[in-house]
Amino acid sequence: MDLGVRTDGRFPDLRSFIAAGLPQGILDDVDEAEFGFDDLQLAPVIPNPDKIIMAAINYREDSTDPDKLPAYPVLFLRLASSQIAHGDQLVQPRSSEKLDFEGELAVIIGEGGRHISAERAMDHVAGYSIYNDGSVRDWQKHSHQFTPGKNFVGTGAFGPWMVQAGDLPDPQEGLSLATRVNGIEKQRTDTSRMIFDIPYLISYISTFAPLVPGDVIVTGTCTGFGATRRPPEFLTPGDTVEVEIEGIGVLANTVAAEE
């Protein structure tokens, strides 16, 4: 649905709509029957965020030693240009055969701010979506910095849509998350198992970087992704990856070789 056509260009994308406070009345005259989902060409939920901040190593496993939990979150940045939409092709780069999958919950900021307290942090959330943090593992391991392996073109799948915060149970209560490759489940967890929960992440990040509407915080993944399996299982062209989060839906993408 092109909101820009129906709003005199005021809201050409979801980021601008969020920044305006998600004015619900603007959609009152939209006839849903005019649009079939298969008729839409989707974009990444926020195609042009000011920031995409990714958390790593952020889920407790059954084997996790409570005494060895990290004191602070591991964070890195992803470029918006690496993102793709639901239904787009995940790109296996020419330079690697170690394209991996990571199913994650994405948090989309509604109200910006700096030095946001954990107690007020959830008031700053516009909604939630699904992210597949496609990772090129050998490039990720070139050094202690994750940046190269997390920013290959066509590896950050983001979609299919945003569910507004008020329409989803609190993720801290535990939403189920599962990742499947070719229909076979590879990851399963629930969002109550985050080491650093959403309020903490928002508070921590906003201490060093002012958050603005449309910023995306991707909250990390559990074990089960390809590099953690024995033997490792990396994606190959033709594979289909589905990430499903309770109350949001399914993000699906098929892998294709870089041309």
Side-chain angles (χ1 to χ4, degrees), residues 57-125:
I57 316 171
N58 195 33
Y59 272 80
R60 296 180 180 87
E61 309 296 341
D62 292 339
S63 59
T64 301
D65 182 345
D67 295 330
K68 294 184 178 180
L69 292 175
Y72 301 102
V74 175
L75 302 176
F76 59 94
L77 299 178
R78 182 179 270 278
L79 302 175
S81 59
S82 71
Q83 296 191 134
I84 58 174
H86 169 78
D88 285 348
Q89 292 181 325
L90 276 169
V91 179
Q92 182 190 52
R94 301 175 189 172
S95 56
S96 176
E97 295 182 350
K98 294 186 176 181
L99 176 63
D100 209 344
F101 53 88
E102 294 187 15
E104 310 193 21
L105 174 71
V107 179
I108 300 161
I109 296 298
E111 180 183 347
R114 179 97 193 273
H115 299 294
I116 299 168
S117 70
E119 292 73 22
R120 295 295 305 276
M122 299 302 281
D123 295 338
H124 291 256
V125 176

Side-chain angles (χ1 to χ4, degrees), residues 101-148:
F101 53 88
E102 294 187 15
E104 310 193 21
L105 174 71
V107 179
I108 300 161
I109 296 298
E111 180 183 347
R114 179 97 193 273
H115 299 294
I116 299 168
S117 70
E119 292 73 22
R120 295 295 305 276
M122 299 302 281
D123 295 338
H124 291 256
V125 176
Y128 303 95
S129 191
I130 306 172
Y131 218 99
N132 180 4
D133 179 28
S135 304
V136 182
R137 294 298 183 197
D138 44 354
W139 281 73
Q140 179 184 340
K141 301 297 184 181
H142 282 178
S143 74
H144 295 297
Q145 303 298 322
F146 289 3
T147 301

